[in-house]
Amino acid sequence: MSRVTVMGTGYVGLITGVCLAEIGHSVTCIDIAPEKIEQLRRGISPIFEPGLTDLIEENLRSGNLWFTNKPEEAIPQSEFIFIAVGTPQREDGSADLTYIQQAAKTIGAHLSILNTVIVTKSTVPVGTNGKIEEWIKDSLHATIPFDVVSNPEFLREGSAIQDTFQADRIVIGSENEESAQRVAALYEPMNIPIFNTNRESAELIKYASNAFLATKISFINEIANLSEKLGADISDVAYGMGLDHRIGTAFLKAGLGYGGSCFPKDTNALVQIAGGVDHRFELLESVIKVNQQQPLKLLNKAVQHFGSLQGKETAILGLAFKPNTDDMREAASITLIEHLLAAGAKVRAYDPIAAGHAQKIFGDRIEYSGSIEECLHQADMAFIATEWEEIKLLPLSIYQKQMKHPVIFDGRNCYSLAEAERHQIDYYSIGRKTSTFIRK
Ligand code: UDX
């Protein structure tokens, strides 16, 4: 059992802290926001993540998990300090390291036991761990040996706990063998393959992994756009490609493009990182561009169908950037809704849990429905933006019953074309044929 401090109780910090507590370590999570700490002490999670509240409660009860906003209560006794603060995107696309620097200075100011290992979980540009080391050194009061290790995080929102306990790999970036071994030992109960490398490689593995997955998505979306023109069906094309184990079926689902807190931010940051060493990452620039344009492709189908969207009652089903999260960051629904509003459409939206966050973005420019039926009632058109289970499983008869004449623009390919045809619905999706029935 080790004494661990985790700085930052955002997605990565909170999941890391709770999971390390779950395998028996004594973990204190620090955050600068006092109200967040107050809530967490009472077992209330500030984020929606399946299974997280139970784990917080369990570990608070067992005494493995603590929350504080006072670094002096945790850092001086810790053998490991995880940095898991945010690295938001600056206007030019690069990562803002303000919180990282603050965390490093706080660590330096309170470090007191020898050989504490500082573990960087936050996604940081290549070379940042070296800077963290300098920032800590600059704020130390005495000469205290410590080490900084890179240990990037690969969890997904909505399955973060499962991803942590069943990860494909744990990447540890350090040239100091002893520190690397100590970090590996911390994770030992999880029984996950460990890959050791140097700090720069570990930092780059994180960006390269996210950029590669984003590339897969933009690639399949372009193949989908092509499929529409060539009479192919993207579901079959993606499946047929994925049967080749060198390609694999994962991350080949065509749709409205990728969103969330990582892919958009990290792809932009990698373009900036490349630019910083005089390398133009043109492939990734194209991936980003394809992603920005993808929601507009579906919108154009609506414009073509109706001529004008002025005054059209529009139902948006799903707002979150993907199912099982209330996260709206960089959600494709935002691009879609902003363009619909600009075109004069009247928008109302339904999401099982993300409406609160959506309200902060759209305010009263759109309406919010309490159920799918209410959202679809008397609508001229419906857009499916997030493939929540209840949206995917919604019988097409509900659209027929609720809408004026059912016209669906499905950004997540939830229905089969045969089903749409059977219900005589005007059905537009991504990378597949269109079924149109209605008088325009
Ligand atoms: C991602 C990475 O998967 C994770 O390893 C990293 O640590 C953080 O970023 P996350 O953002 O939680 O995780 O979501 P993910 O499930 O990867 O989906 C990202 C976006 O891609 C979503 O908007 C999703 O709808 C989209 N997506 C995913 C597709 O459009 N098609 C696919 O085939 C897969």
Side-chain angles (χ1 to χ4, degrees), residues 72-237:
E72 64 273 19
E73 286 179 359
I75 292 175
Q77 301 87 32
S78 288
E79 296 149 88
F80 297 90
I81 301 170
F82 281 73
I83 300 180
V85 295
T87 50
Q89 185 170 308
R90 283 211 208 95
E91 227 158 71
D92 66 356
S94 65
D96 182 349
L97 298 180
T98 312
Y99 299 119
I100 295 277
Q101 190 172 10
Q102 272 171 12
K105 286 185 172 169
T106 306
I107 293 170
H110 297 286
L111 211 58
S112 63
I113 62 172
L114 305 185
N115 301 320
T116 298
V117 180
I118 321 300
V119 187
T120 308
K121 274 265 161 212
S122 308
T123 302
V124 290
V126 181
T128 304
N129 277 285
K131 288 186 188 166
I132 292 174
E133 200 167 300
E134 291 309 312
W135 289 327
I136 295 174
K137 267 189 198 146
D138 288 348
S139 44
L140 283 176
H141 296 301
T143 318
I144 302 168
F146 68 92
D147 196 22
V148 179
V149 170
S150 168
N151 173 219
E153 184 52 66
F154 301 100
L155 56 81
R156 289 167 300 175
E157 292 184 22
S159 53
I161 292 175
Q162 192 189 331
D163 285 356
T164 305
F165 286 115
Q166 286 160 28
D168 291 326
R169 78 303 205 188
I170 289 172
V171 174
I172 299 175
S174 172
E175 264 139 294
N176 179 328
E177 216 172 291
E178 195 194 324
S179 301
Q181 271 172 12
R182 283 178 61 198
V183 177
L186 200 63
Y187 286 113
E188 207 181 291
M190 291 187 186
N191 207 15
I192 293 167
I194 303 257
F195 177 60
N196 288 302
T197 180
N198 66 17
R199 282 199 306 219
E200 290 75 12
S201 305
E203 290 167 331
L204 192 54
I205 285 170
K206 168 71 191 193
Y207 280 108
S209 302
N210 276 354
F212 186 74
L213 292 170
T215 303
K216 268 189 119 175
I217 298 171
S218 278
F219 183 86
I220 204 65
N221 283 337
E222 277 291 73
I223 297 292
N225 298 333
L226 209 51
S227 294
E228 286 173 15
K229 301 203 161 152
L230 297 174
D233 185 308
I234 191 60
S235 321
D236 286 353
V237 176

Side-chain angles (χ1 to χ4, degrees), residues 48-91:
F48 174 84
E49 183 61 40
L52 180 59
T53 306
D54 288 349
L55 281 192
I56 295 175
E57 280 173 1
E58 211 177 279
N59 286 285
L60 278 174
R61 238 179 289 130
S62 69
N64 279 357
L65 186 62
W66 304 84
F67 294 100
T68 181
N69 46 25
K70 298 197 179 94
E72 64 273 19
E73 286 179 359
I75 292 175
Q77 301 87 32
S78 288
E79 296 149 88
F80 297 90
I81 301 170
F82 281 73
I83 300 180
V85 295
T87 50
Q89 185 170 308
R90 283 211 208 95
E91 227 158 71

